[in-house]
Amino acid sequence: MLTVYIDFKSAASYLALEPTLELARETGITIDWRPFSVRPFVVPAEQDEETVGERHRRVRAAAQRDVHVHYAAVQGRDMHFADRPSGSEAALAALAVMEGDPVPFIRAAFAAYWTEQADLADETVVETLLQSVGMDHADWELASVKLDSIRSSAEESGIFEAPSYLIADQLFLGREHLPWIRSLIPAGQRV
């Protein structure tokens, strides 16, 4: 089992989706998708008389955004960063209580956030996404409790960013570790 912590507002999680699914297809490993909220990504606005530190953070964030957009293009994906990023809490809560295959919802939520700048903190928006992939409405009270529980457990495991991968009691941050993760999947489990 490969446990993957994602957030729909995480550009790195969005870019990790298809490579992670490819790893699962190629190896036969089961993925346990878990929600984990991270801070939204923002490129600070340029200010008059910036300090060296402020300029560094702004330039570094802009470069990081450009790298994400580049890799999205390499994957053939559309990716737009909103000037004011919205939240993802309702979509994450829905994922927390989802039964069955969550991948159609995960794909729909990522696409809505990164191509349409949908507010995935809005339960009405998330209900529409659930319906679009043929899933039942979420029990929002239960979902909120479950999301808090997953976050607490994740933080106790040392998780602080998304995507995070947990396999064989080893924690990896980021899709760049997928080749190493692949090497940890027992050969007998691979298809």
Side-chain angles (χ1 to χ4, degrees):
M1 169 86 56
L2 175 63
T3 303
V4 184
Y5 291 86
I6 60 170
D7 187 354
F8 299 112
K9 65 183 177 293
S10 162
S13 290
Y14 178 51
L15 295 173
L17 177 63
E18 292 306 323
T20 303
L21 290 170
E22 182 179 331
L23 173 74
R25 279 190 300 273
E26 291 176 357
T27 64
I29 195 163
T30 302
I31 299 177
D32 179 13
W33 296 98
R34 302 243 180 122
F36 187 80
S37 183
V38 298
R39 283 183 295 151
F41 179 85
V42 178
V43 176
E46 187 173 355
Q47 300 175 22
D48 294 334
E49 300 182 33
E50 287 180 317
T51 66
V52 171
E54 289 168 335
R55 184 172 52 249
H56 172 78
R57 284 186 288 282
R58 178 179 50 77
V59 170
R60 185 167 183 247
Q64 189 177 26
R65 178 200 56 213
D66 294 346
V67 166
H68 288 314
V69 170
H70 169 77
Y71 280 106
V74 167
Q75 288 186 12
R77 298 180 159 285
D78 199 13
M79 176 182 258
H80 301 281
F81 283 82
D83 292 333
R84 296 190 128 170
S86 60
S88 61
E89 292 74 21
L92 292 173
L95 178 60
V97 294
M98 196 164 287
E99 295 182 14
D101 181 10
V103 174
F105 173 74
I106 291 170
R107 281 188 168 126
F110 273 129
Y113 189 90
W114 289 103
T115 62
E116 303 163 21
Q117 287 72 50
D119 183 1
L120 300 182
D122 184 332
E123 292 173 4
T124 306
V125 170
V126 174
E127 289 287 350
T128 301
L129 285 174
L130 288 166
Q131 287 177 338
S132 75
V133 296
M135 295 187 156
D136 293 332
H137 296 284
D139 175 341
W140 294 111
E141 189 174 319
L142 174 64
S144 179
V145 170
K146 180 76 172 177
L147 181 60
D148 289 343
S149 173
I150 291 170
R151 180 168 187 91
S152 293
S153 176
E155 287 173 345
E156 287 174 15
S157 297
I159 294 166
F160 63 92
E161 188 60 77
S164 288
Y165 296 83
L166 189 58
I167 184 170
D169 294 326
Q170 294 189 50
L171 177 62
F172 298 90
L173 172 63
R175 73 186 189 282
E176 61 273 12
H177 298 292
L178 286 172
W180 194 357
I181 292 167
R182 177 186 299 273
S183 73
L184 294 173
I185 299 170
Q189 184 172 335
R190 297 183 188 175
V191 234

